[in-house]
Amino acid sequence: MTDGSGTSSDPLVNARPGSLAEQLLLSRMDTWPEPSQMPLILDSDIGSEPDDALALAVAAGLPSLELVLTSDERDGDRARLARYLLDLLGRTDVPVVAGRDLGNRFNWAAETLIPGYVPAQPTDIAAAVSKVLDRHDGQVGWIGLGPMSNLAELLTVSPALSAKLVVTQQEAAFRVFPDSGGQNVIMDPSAARTILDADLRPWIVPGDITFHVTTVITEETTEYKVIAHSDDPARVLLRRHMDEWFDDVVPGFGLHGLLTLSLGIGMPFLTATPANISLDEADRIQSGSSAAFMVTSADYSSFRKWLVSRLDQIASISSHHPAAEYNPRTPRGE
């Protein structure tokens, strides 16, 4: 958004790190409610558009995060990237499980990011999810940022899981074709149909909400600068990921995953209404018979202020992955 002179009129874009403008911006932030304490499972195709890595970094700051799954896997590398980032952030307690590999190899922006010593992650999604559900009597949040393959597979094996899961699902990070459904649907449409048929009443964040001019991140936006102007190891990793995306794919990305995460943890930026939906022959969401909640509007300004404050809290616990110094012959503590 510009004022006609080529200069952005968005104060979040113009606020330089450490500048008076940024200090004023941060000082004027509202007092946000605390995120929900509902136990959280994050299902992400981390490693492509960098919003998923930023979403994981924000989620890592929540004690409620209990499990990370990867969707649209890429030879296990998405799970290894998630493991590396979580360990830098001190969340070695959060398991990472590699999910379904759909064979896609496009828009990868983590070619140089994962050290060779980061091990392959487990692949038994059903066992990992069951452990989380068994620990809790109440409901568990599931936030889907990628294709819905993992959740559909779980529900096919154990339909009763639908009673315990509160599902928040991102529809798209991009449109494969202008007249098609969102990428997270079209990459595995049978999985999306399984979700809609499972009586989950999912909360859907459509691409029409996340594709918004005010949520495009570039090297000039404050969100990037908050990450880039730091030598914290986790922030260095995130900056390198963003730079690789800018250099190899396009010079910007949206905040699709972070908007979806904010809804899934109970933040007040998105508004949803009950709806009955289905998928048409082109895998687009239309009116239908499956109950859901569809997000219809967003307070982008408040969301971005909150996001800047969350990104500013990212801090590493260690400077390297613990596997780098692991020696099975050395007893713990020596």
Side-chain angles (χ1 to χ4, degrees):
M1 182 181 299
T2 65
D3 58 11
S5 64
T7 301
S8 172
S9 59
D10 183 352
L12 278 167
V13 174
N14 293 326
R16 304 290 178 179
S19 68
L20 177 60
E22 183 180 63
Q23 293 173 31
L24 289 172
L25 172 67
L26 295 174
S27 70
R28 291 173 181 171
M29 284 183 181
D30 296 332
T31 300
W32 311 117
E34 285 298 311
S36 167
Q37 293 302 302
M38 179 184 290
L40 176 62
I41 298 171
L42 184 66
D43 186 24
S44 165
D45 56 348
I46 184 173
S48 295
E49 199 163 0
D51 60 314
D52 276 37
L54 294 175
L56 178 57
V58 171
L62 306 175
S64 56
L65 181 65
E66 297 202 9
L67 175 64
V68 173
L69 311 174
T70 53
S71 55
D72 188 26
E73 249 305 340
R74 192 180 186 278
D75 300 323
D77 284 343
R78 295 192 194 276
R80 293 177 61 236
L81 176 60
R83 179 74 276 153
Y84 183 43
L85 178 57
L86 282 170
D87 286 350
L88 288 177
L89 294 169
R91 294 307 305 269
T92 56
D93 60 308
V94 176
V96 175
V97 179
R100 287 279 304 279
D101 191 327
L102 301 177
N104 299 303
R105 297 295 182 268
F106 55 86
N107 288 346
W108 179 245
E111 194 64 41
T112 65
L113 302 185
I114 313 168
Y117 56 71
V118 181
Q121 298 301 295
T123 58
D124 193 338
I125 288 179
V129 172
S130 293
K131 286 182 180 179
V132 175
L133 298 181
D134 289 346
R135 285 197 295 268
H136 303 283
D137 294 330
Q139 291 183 303
V140 171
W142 177 293
I143 299 180
L145 306 184
M148 296 170 239
S149 315
N150 295 330
L151 182 55
E153 186 172 299
L154 278 171
L155 294 175
T156 300
V157 175
S158 303
L161 291 180
S162 61
K164 289 204 68 173
L165 294 175
V166 178
V167 174
T168 306
Q169 177 64 45
Q170 172 189 319
E171 185 223 1
F174 61 87
R175 301 283 178 196
V176 180
F177 304 105
D179 295 329
S180 72
Q183 147 251 7
N184 289 336
V185 175
I186 200 171
M187 289 174 71
D188 194 345
S190 64
R193 286 182 165 84
T194 296
I195 302 309
L196 292 181
D197 292 341
D199 196 28
L200 280 167
R201 296 180 65 86
W203 296 71
I204 305 295
V205 184
D208 291 346
I209 295 296
T210 60
F211 288 107
H212 196 274
V213 65
T214 63
T215 66
V216 176
I217 302 305
T218 70
E219 292 180 342
E220 297 302 315
T221 50
T222 297
E223 290 87 347
Y224 175 84
K225 294 177 183 295
V226 165
I227 296 296
H229 290 257
S230 171
D231 58 2
D232 177 272
R235 295 198 203 189
V236 170
L237 174 64
L238 294 168
R239 175 187 57 76
R240 290 177 58 205
H241 184 24
M242 290 188 283
D243 289 346
E244 195 165 322
W245 177 267
F246 295 152
D247 292 342
D248 296 345
V249 188
V250 291
F253 63 90
L255 294 174
H256 321 280
L258 286 148
L259 279 159
T260 305
L261 174 70
S262 74
L263 177 64
I265 62 176
M267 301 309 294
F269 309 122
L270 305 185
T271 300
T273 59
N276 292 310
I277 63 174
S278 64
L279 298 180
D280 67 13
E281 293 181 355
D283 303 319
R284 295 169 298 197
I285 294 176
Q286 63 175 4
S287 296
S289 58
S290 297
F293 295 93
M294 293 292 295
V295 171
T296 56
S297 65
D299 180 349
Y300 298 106
S301 177
S302 294
F303 161 72
R304 287 188 62 189
K305 291 176 185 178
W306 170 81
L307 176 58
V308 168
S309 70
R310 280 287 169 176
L311 295 178
D312 197 43
Q313 295 173 36
I314 293 173
S316 299
I317 300 300
S318 62
S319 60
H320 60 269
H321 191 285
E325 295 182 352
Y326 176 67
N327 184 344
R329 298 182 179 178
T330 302
R332 183 171 298 196
E334 294 188 10

